[in-house]
């Protein structure tokens, strides 16, 4: 049975992925920002283990993990958690920049560093849920897009470093997806939110599972998922 470490499993795309993997009986280690959230995740996914650490504070993740039992087998590490805060460069504060860079870029690097020994042993898979903003940056999206451009660089470097050892690395670039994050984007853009216009998180989960389940002779490097209507 495969063991998956998943961030962001409490909402949106991450919840859809976790539900699929849980339903087929895979072994889940669900990351949560704090103990209360971990308790909710454990209740929602019976049998799953949890791992606590605030991604907004990557400097403390190592300390937090040193006080918990880490899984000794990891077949896949799915970085799905993320945050967004829109605003023009002229108004974005260092706090807003740091928060997005910490959660979206530095924490995934730190989590990857922690689980690389297990991933190498399992010839495992690292999946980064990126964004269209990781490929193109638009007005008002600088900090989020910078964090996601950085995440692409992290994934590309990791892929080259670990390819010979059999660790696969995939970046998934979803377009607008109906989730609490997208509701916030609409609110910050001053637009009315109609979830029916955007990608269903289940469809992004299908794309992620396709990459994950591909036999070991092949690796999806980059996968762009756009709204179909
Ligand atoms: N929605 C879109 O349109 C869209 C488009 C392209 C890419 N993406 C990317 O897809 C991924 C998932 O987004 P989503 O739309 O599913 O968003 P979402 O519903 O807002 O979920 C975000 C998840 O990240 C977790 N998280 C945020 N800050 C955290 C922290 N400090 N520590 C630990 N966990 C934290 C949240 O935890 P809690 O459950 O505890 O709040 C939540 O589970 C993100 O990386 C996002 O950038 C989304």
């Amino acid at each position: 049975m495969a063991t998956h470490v998943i961030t962001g499993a409490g909402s949106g795309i991450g919840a859809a992925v976790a539900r699929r993997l849980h339903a087929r009986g895979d072994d889940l280690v669900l990351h949560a920002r704090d103990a209360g959230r971990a308790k909710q995740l454990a209740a929602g996914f019976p049998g799953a283990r949890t791992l606590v650490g605030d991604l907004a504070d990557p400097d403390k993740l190592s300390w937090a993990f040193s006080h918990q039992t880490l899984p000794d087998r990891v077949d896949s590490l799915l970085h799905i958690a993320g945050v967004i805060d829109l605003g023009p460069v002229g108004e974005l504060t260092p706090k807003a920049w740091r928060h997005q860079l910490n959660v979206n870029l530095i924490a995934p690097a730190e989590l990857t560093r922690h689980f690389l020994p297990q991933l190498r042993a399992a010839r495992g898979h690292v999946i980064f849920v990126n964004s269209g903003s990781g490929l193109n940056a638009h007005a008002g999206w600088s900090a989020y897009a910078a964090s996601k451009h950085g995440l692409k660089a992290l994934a590309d470097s990791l892929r080259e470093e670990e390819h010979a050892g059999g660790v696969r690395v995939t970046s998934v670039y979803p377009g607008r997806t109906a989730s609490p994050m997208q509701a916030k984007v609409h609110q910050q853009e001053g637009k009315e939110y109609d979830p029916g216009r955007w990608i269903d998180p289940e469809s992004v989960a299908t794309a992620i599972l396709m990459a994950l389940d591909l036999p070991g002779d092949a690796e999806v490097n980059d996968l762009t998922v756009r709204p179909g209507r």
Side-chain angles (χ1 to χ4, degrees):
M1 196 198 309
T3 301
H4 312 280
V5 176
I6 309 176
T7 71
S11 181
I13 296 168
V17 169
R19 279 194 299 270
R20 295 279 188 92
L21 295 173
H22 187 253
R24 73 189 200 188
D26 284 6
D27 191 10
L28 302 188
V29 179
L30 304 177
H31 172 271
R33 64 174 73 228
D34 58 31
R37 197 75 180 107
K39 219 170 169 183
Q40 290 172 348
L41 287 175
F45 294 92
R49 286 172 282 170
T50 56
L51 183 66
V52 175
D54 186 356
L55 301 180
D57 199 350
D59 284 348
K60 296 218 180 95
L61 285 175
S62 190
W63 178 87
F65 293 167
S66 71
H67 291 78
Q68 301 172 68
T69 309
L70 295 189
D72 43 22
R73 181 180 177 92
V74 178
D75 296 277
S76 81
L77 171 59
L78 295 109
H79 298 285
I80 310 184
V83 291
I84 193 163
D85 205 358
L86 300 184
V89 174
E91 290 173 18
L92 274 180
T93 61
K95 191 176 172 198
W97 273 95
R98 262 196 301 272
H99 185 58
Q100 290 171 86
L101 289 168
N102 280 344
V103 175
N104 297 350
L105 174 59
I106 300 175
E110 177 65 346
L111 273 176
T112 303
R113 185 172 76 88
H114 262 273
F115 287 112
L116 258 181
Q118 294 94 319
L119 287 158
R120 285 177 183 144
R123 298 176 76 81
H125 200 149
V126 185
I127 297 202
F128 295 93
V129 174
N130 200 302
S131 162
S133 300
L135 301 169
N136 298 290
H138 297 290
W141 291 68
S142 59
Y144 178 74
S147 72
K148 294 294 193 178
H149 273 66
L151 193 66
K152 178 186 186 302
L154 167 61
D156 290 348
S157 296
L158 181 71
R159 184 180 304 110
E160 268 200 34
E161 289 166 11
E162 300 297 329
H163 187 79
V167 175
R168 295 189 289 176
V169 178
T170 301
S171 288
V172 180
Y173 301 88
R176 291 184 186 241
T177 302
S179 75
M181 176 183 281
Q182 193 51 236
K184 178 180 179 184
V185 166
H186 275 69
Q187 185 222 327
Q188 292 197 321
E189 290 177 326
K191 292 182 188 158
E192 200 175 315
Y193 177 53
D194 172 7
R197 281 191 62 197
W198 308 118
I199 308 171
D200 187 326
E202 294 293 337
S203 302
V204 182
T206 300
I208 291 171
L209 262 66
M210 181 278 289
L212 193 63
D213 290 341
L214 205 63
D217 63 311
E219 174 187 31
V220 175
N221 290 175
D222 298 289
L223 188 56
T224 300
V225 185
R226 308 298 305 164
R229 46 185 180 266

